[in-house]
Amino acid sequence: MKILGIETSCDETAAAVVEDGVKILSNQIASQVEIHARYGGIVPEVASRQHILAIIPILKQAMAEAKTTWRDLDGIAVTIGPGLAGSLLVGVNVAKAIALAHGLPITGVNHLEGHIYAGWLINRSINFPLVCLIVSGGHSDLALMRGHGDYVVLGRTRDDASGEAFDKAARILRLGYPGGPAIEQAARNGVASLQLPRAWLKGTNDFSFSGVKTALLRLVEEGKVSNEADAAASFQEAVADVLVTKTVAVAKERRVKQILLVGGVASNELLRQWLVNNSPIPVLVPEPVLCTDNAAMIAACGYYRFQAGKIDGLDLDVVPSLKLA
Ligand code: KG4
Ligand code: ZN
């Protein structure tokens, strides 16, 4: 079964063709990072315009790379949320037009669920139940997954998402945008010598990352940060420490068979290593290119949705504030 995946929820225009939810035939991504970097963050109007410019060329590239014709496709999976309304609309409308023109079934995918399905692109026989840590620019969710499409959210961030915290910390340290990769890069030349707080929120599985960001800002304002690399390393460790400790604790408590680490922040090498090294439960982390936004994960998720008979009509609409469960 060949599924075309389309992803335009944020600042990447992406299209991919995936066979049977596991085999990537193509995975094309047009990033807008350089355009938004000029403004120090994502400008929604600019993002939608760029999606409109990029979507058709990216679709053509994805179909060509997969050596696939419209007739070879079995369905279309498109991100409907969460994300920027104007950006989501571009992908959803293009997906509907293709579905109508070629008589293909369409299924709307939750972007967060899509991130989870990046796991199936690298290991088809993942055991349930599992705990997923989904860490992206807008979310830091801990979820229990009991089967395909079956989620219970165990915890989430009460303020900044971890990716958002990385982005803000990078701005504070004037390291540029996007912040996650910038902090990781700077941290390579530093040691975690700054004392930064960890919000444990004991007794809950929730996260909070605004405190550590504010603490960093204070130190900078008070002139106590003489070395940006050390500050970046300290910040990265403070965030990874909380994410790893809480994820391992909840996975043990729930006696799950697997931990899945996904989302843009999951491309962070320190976080990946710490989670793998500190978990008695097997950890699965997709390669970085499948952690950050892509359409292969949307197509993989779409495959399981089609298997479950979850087909949407052409009245499919965007849901900018969609939740995982
Ligand atoms: O999943 P994603 O690509 O897009 C959203 O769905 O938001 O995640 C983007 C987030 C950004 O906040 C970015 O700074 C962060 O992931 N990120 C990283 C790294 N690469 C991307 N954070 C830490 N370390 C990285 N290497
Ligand atoms: Zn994402």
Side-chain angles (χ1 to χ4, degrees):
M1 197 178 190
K2 282 187 191 172
I3 308 296
L4 169 67
I6 299 175
E7 155 65 42
T8 64
S9 69
C10 195
D11 60 347
E12 329 272 359
T13 316
V17 180
V18 173
E19 193 165 7
D20 297 335
V22 64
K23 192 170 173 214
I24 301 175
L25 301 183
S26 64
N27 192 18
Q28 293 286 332
I29 304 169
S31 175
Q32 306 176 2
V33 155
E34 281 174 25
I35 297 158
H36 297 293
R38 280 182 235 151
Y39 307 99
I42 295 165
V43 184
E45 286 80 1
V46 175
S48 350
R49 251 167 226 272
Q50 289 302 317
H51 284 304
I52 291 170
L53 293 173
I55 189 76
I56 301 296
I58 276 294
L59 273 168
K60 284 186 176 161
Q61 284 171 32
M63 294 295 284
E65 189 196 351
K67 298 188 175 62
T68 299
T69 64
W70 300 115
R71 278 163 178 258
D72 297 333
L73 289 178
D74 297 289
I76 300 174
V78 62
T79 305
I80 56 165
L84 301 168
S87 291
L88 290 162
L89 271 170
V90 177
V92 169
N93 282 314
V94 164
K96 289 203 280 193
I98 298 170
L100 183 65
H102 300 284
L104 289 165
I106 188 168
T107 192
V109 171
N110 180 318
H111 180 80
L112 302 171
E113 195 179 358
H115 272 301
I116 292 171
Y117 275 86
W120 273 265
L121 291 168
I122 45 171
N123 183 352
R124 153 151 245 166
S125 48
I126 299 176
N127 293 315
F128 295 113
L130 55 90
V131 155
C132 317
L133 174 62
I134 310 152
V135 272
S136 68
H139 294 81
S140 299
D141 287 356
L142 258 176
L144 176 70
M145 188 176 181
R146 296 178 296 199
H148 287 293
D150 178 4
Y151 312 95
V152 182
V153 174
L154 305 171
R156 50 168 53 114
T157 183
R158 295 192 181 172
D159 39 57
D160 293 353
S162 48
E164 188 182 354
F166 268 101
D167 294 333
K168 288 178 177 172
R171 208 173 301 158
I172 292 167
L173 296 172
R174 299 181 193 282
L175 293 172
Y177 168 88
I183 294 268
E184 176 162 36
Q185 184 61 32
R188 290 213 174 94
N189 305 312
V191 282
S193 53
L194 290 187
Q195 295 284 334
L196 290 174
R198 275 94 164 132
W200 294 111
L201 304 182
K202 289 239 164 71
T204 80
N205 297 310
D206 284 348
F207 299 108
S208 164
F209 295 107
S210 74
V212 61
K213 169 205 67 190
T214 308
L216 178 67
L217 180 62
R218 289 267 150 72
L219 290 174
V220 169
E221 284 173 350
E222 289 164 5
K224 289 180 182 153
V225 174
S226 51
N227 183 322
E228 262 101 50
D230 288 353
S234 310
F235 183 83
Q236 180 174 247
E237 288 201 3
V239 173
D241 190 7
V242 176
L243 289 174
V244 168
T245 306
K246 298 203 77 155
T247 303
V248 171
V250 79
K252 279 190 194 161
E253 180 193 309
R254 297 278 169 162
R255 297 168 186 274
V256 295
K257 298 201 173 108
Q258 184 90 48
I259 294 177
L260 213 56
L261 172 63
V262 296
V265 181
S267 50
N268 186 276
E269 192 54 42
L270 181 89
L271 175 62
R272 300 162 75 92
Q273 272 179 18
W274 276 14
L275 187 58
V276 169
N277 295 343
N278 289 289
S279 172
I281 296 158
V283 175
L284 189 66
V285 198
E287 61 208 78
V289 68
L290 296 175
C291 288
T292 46
D293 288 351
N294 66 88
M297 67 186 195
I298 303 302
C301 182
Y303 170 78
Y304 286 94
R305 287 181 62 82
F306 282 125
Q307 294 287 305
K310 293 174 180 166
I311 297 174
D312 289 298
L314 287 177
D315 57 349
L316 181 67
D317 205 353
V318 303
V319 190
S321 57
L322 191 61
K323 301 262 186 302
L324 184 62

